[in-house]
Structure formats: structure tokens, C-alpha cells
């Protein structure tokens, strides 16, 4: 009697069983993911109704303001003194600059290095 075909059939059946178990495990993970997602969505607050949506202010849309700003200088460290820490500096406020003319590039210049222009002459 020849037992070679029996020996080959056993491992292939075992491999098929392993693939089946892995597939069932993946399906269980996928189903668990859907279940968890539905639980999280159920606990979220409801979407706002149309009357609860944000409204424009009575004066209309807010527009962009372009201005040049002057910043306060960082105080100089006195000779032999210690520099200030960021916490001691506080909020470094700025104010509207007296010069509101926007800086422009030189004529004939592209405004960037390697931009292909002739550059300032």
C-alpha cells in the first residue's frame, strides 16, 4: 500500500483549516470594528439643526485688515545682569506702524533668489 498521497493530503487540509480560522478571525475583527464605530456614533451629540447654525453678524462679514505693525523692542540686558526669561517678558504687544506703505520689490527683480529675473542693478 502506498501512503505518500495520504501524507500530502493531511498538511493541505491543515493549511485549509488555518486559512479558514484566520478568515473567521478577520471577519470577527471587522464586525467588531463596525460595532465599536456604531457605539461611538450613538454617543455623539446630534448635529445642529439649521436654526442652530452660526449666523453672520448684523454688520456683515468680517474683512481682512492689512497693516504694517511695529513691535516693542526686547529690553537690553544690563552689563553684568541676567537676561530676562520668556515669562518675565510677558506679552510683547505691537502697535500700528506710522508707515503704512507696503514694501515692494525692486523693479526688474522677481523678488526671490533664482526667480529668473535680472535682479536689481
Amino acid at each position: 500500500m502506498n501512503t505518500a498521497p495520504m501524507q500530502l493530503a493531511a498538511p493541505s487540509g491543515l493549511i485549509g483549516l488555518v486559512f479558514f480560522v484566520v478568515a473567521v478571525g478577520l471577519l470577527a475583527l471587522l464586525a467588531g470594528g463596525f460595532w465599536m464605530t456604531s457605539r461611538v456614533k450613538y454617543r455623539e451629540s446630534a448635529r445642529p439643526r439649521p436654526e442652530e447654525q452660526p449666523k453672520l453678524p448684523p454688520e456683515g462679514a468680517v474683512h481682512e485688515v492689512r497693516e504694517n505693525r511695529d513691535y516693542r523692542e526686547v529690553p537690553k540686558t544690563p552689563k553684568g545682569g541676567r537676561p530676562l526669561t520668556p515669562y518675565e517678558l510677558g506679552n510683547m504687544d505691537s502697535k500700528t506702524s506710522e508707515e503704512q506703505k507696503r514694501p515692494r520689490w525692486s523693479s526688474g527683480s522677481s523678488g526671490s533668489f533664482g526667480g529668473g529675473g535680472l535682479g536689481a542693478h
Side-chain angles (χ1 to χ4, degrees):
M1 181 173 200
N2 191 357
T3 59
M6 288 294 236
Q7 291 172 350
L8 291 176
S12 67
L14 185 62
I15 290 173
L17 181 64
V18 168
F19 279 140
F20 178 75
V21 169
V22 168
V24 168
L26 287 175
L27 285 173
L29 283 174
L30 188 62
F34 279 115
W35 178 72
M36 288 289 290
T37 303
S38 67
R39 285 189 59 204
V40 169
K41 276 186 114 173
Y42 180 73
R43 283 187 280 170
E44 287 179 354
S45 59
R47 292 185 178 187
R49 294 187 304 274
E51 61 271 7
E52 296 173 337
Q53 295 290 333
K55 304 274 188 284
L56 278 175
E59 59 272 2
V62 178
H63 298 284
E64 177 180 335
V65 176
R66 289 185 176 228
E67 64 182 0
N68 292 339
R69 306 285 294 174
D70 284 337
Y71 299 96
R72 258 192 339 169
E73 292 290 325
V74 176
K76 300 280 186 205
T77 304
K79 194 112 176 140
R82 68 170 183 79
L84 297 174
T85 64
Y87 303 104
E88 293 170 325
L89 286 175
N91 187 11
M92 298 298 286
D93 293 331
S94 65
K95 62 179 180 169
T96 303
S97 175
E98 292 178 17
E99 178 62 43
Q100 287 299 315
K101 184 177 175 193
R102 291 180 54 206
R104 298 288 180 192
W105 302 111
S106 305
S107 62
S109 171
S110 67
S112 65
F113 177 76
L118 296 173
H121 286 98

